[in-house]
Structure formats: structure tokens, C-alpha cells
Amino acid sequence: MRKPPMKDWIMIFLIKSYIATFLDNLAVRNGYIRYPVKLFKSFDISVIFSYLIFPITCIYFNQLTKQSKIVGTLFTCIAFSVPMALFENILEKNTKLINYKRNWSWVHSLCSIFFTFIVVRSLYKLINSYAERQSNEKTANHLNTIDH
């Protein structure tokens, strides 16, 4: 089993950051979540969570599930998502870092975390599959030109 190159983990990090930013902004703008304490005043989302914790966790998730079948991947996704959603719920109940609004709950967070793990893994697999196909076509074309 080959070790995936660093570019794979950077790709996962960036995809996860983008999706987390989009979903977090959507939740904030629609009034479901609020972050009263902000690291940067110009951001309405949790910068540390969306741009650091969540993407790094997604890299570990993808490393662990790289060779897993669907059932194993789903169980691993649950194992990653539940603690993150519960920790967010604890922060919401005991700090002023996050406020749930409009009937948002830890279950909604759990579903969005779970969904993004699966979407990022699927996109990662899709991109790698496409790149591998392209590489195989280039190799086949190169071999054909050598034979002629």
C-alpha cells in the first residue's frame, strides 16, 4: 500500500475548508447558529473550527478510511462525527462561543458534520479516480506512439 502524497491531504484540507465555510455561513446567515466570540471580527463563522480543526480531522478520517468499504467508512464517520457534535453541544451549553437558534440542536450539527465527511471523501475519491484515468490514458497513448 503506497503512502498518499502530501497533495492528497492538502486537497482534502482545502475541500473540507470550503464546504465547512459554505455550510457554516449558510447556518449563520439563516439564523440557526451564532458565534458571539469571534477570533476575527470580519468573520461570522468559527475560524478555528472551519479552517483548522474540521479540515485536519477530515484528513485523519480519510487516512483511516482510505481502504475501507462503505460500511466501515460509515461507522468511522459516525465515530468522528458524534464526538465533534457532542463537544459542540457542550460548548453551546457551557460557553458563549456558540449559540444555537431557531430549533438548531446537536443533532443538526451531527448530520451536517457526518454529511461533510462523506461528501469530502466522495469528492476526494472522484478526483483521484479521474486523475488515475487521465494518467492511464497518457501512459497508453505514450506506449502506442512508441509501438508505431
Side-chain angles (χ1 to χ4, degrees):
M1 180 171 81
R2 78 170 178 88
K3 182 180 175 190
M6 179 67 85
K7 72 173 179 61
D8 287 2
W9 307 136
I10 292 170
M11 178 176 50
I12 290 169
F13 186 93
L14 294 174
I15 292 169
K16 183 64 164 189
S17 297
Y18 178 77
I19 290 173
T21 300
F22 175 76
L23 290 178
D24 218 2
N25 271 317
L26 195 64
V28 168
R29 293 213 170 134
N30 287 312
Y32 293 107
I33 296 175
R34 195 169 70 84
Y35 299 100
V37 177
K38 298 174 185 159
L39 184 60
F40 301 106
K41 300 286 184 208
S42 58
F43 287 91
D44 289 335
I45 64 172
S46 173
V47 173
I48 299 215
F49 183 74
S50 292
Y51 297 131
L52 189 63
I53 295 170
F54 211 6
I56 289 173
T57 305
C58 193
I59 291 170
Y60 287 119
F61 167 75
N62 277 275
Q63 285 177 335
L64 287 174
T65 61
K66 184 148 180 65
Q67 302 299 322
S68 297
K69 302 288 184 212
I70 291 174
V71 172
T73 299
L74 293 175
F75 278 118
T76 305
C77 190
I78 290 168
F80 272 74
S81 302
V82 169
M84 290 177 76
L86 291 176
F87 183 69
E88 181 182 282
N89 189 53
I90 290 168
L91 289 177
E92 197 274 335
K93 299 272 187 237
N94 299 309
T95 72
K96 294 183 191 270
L97 295 175
I98 183 170
N99 292 334
Y100 294 157
K101 304 287 185 188
R102 299 181 60 192
N103 296 321
W104 188 270
S105 72
W106 70 272
V107 175
H108 296 95
S109 291
L110 172 66
C111 291
S112 66
I113 291 168
F114 182 90
F115 173 75
T116 56
F117 274 128
I118 296 301
V119 167
V120 171
R121 185 173 189 277
S122 299
L123 286 172
Y124 169 68
K125 289 272 201 189
L126 185 69
I127 291 167
N128 272 349
S129 166
Y130 178 76
E132 192 172 303
R133 233 184 352 253
Q134 292 289 88
S135 176
N136 290 341
E137 286 176 10
K138 282 183 182 178
T139 302
N141 289 339
H142 180 69
L143 291 175
N144 284 338
T145 57
I146 292 174
D147 288 342
H148 296 325

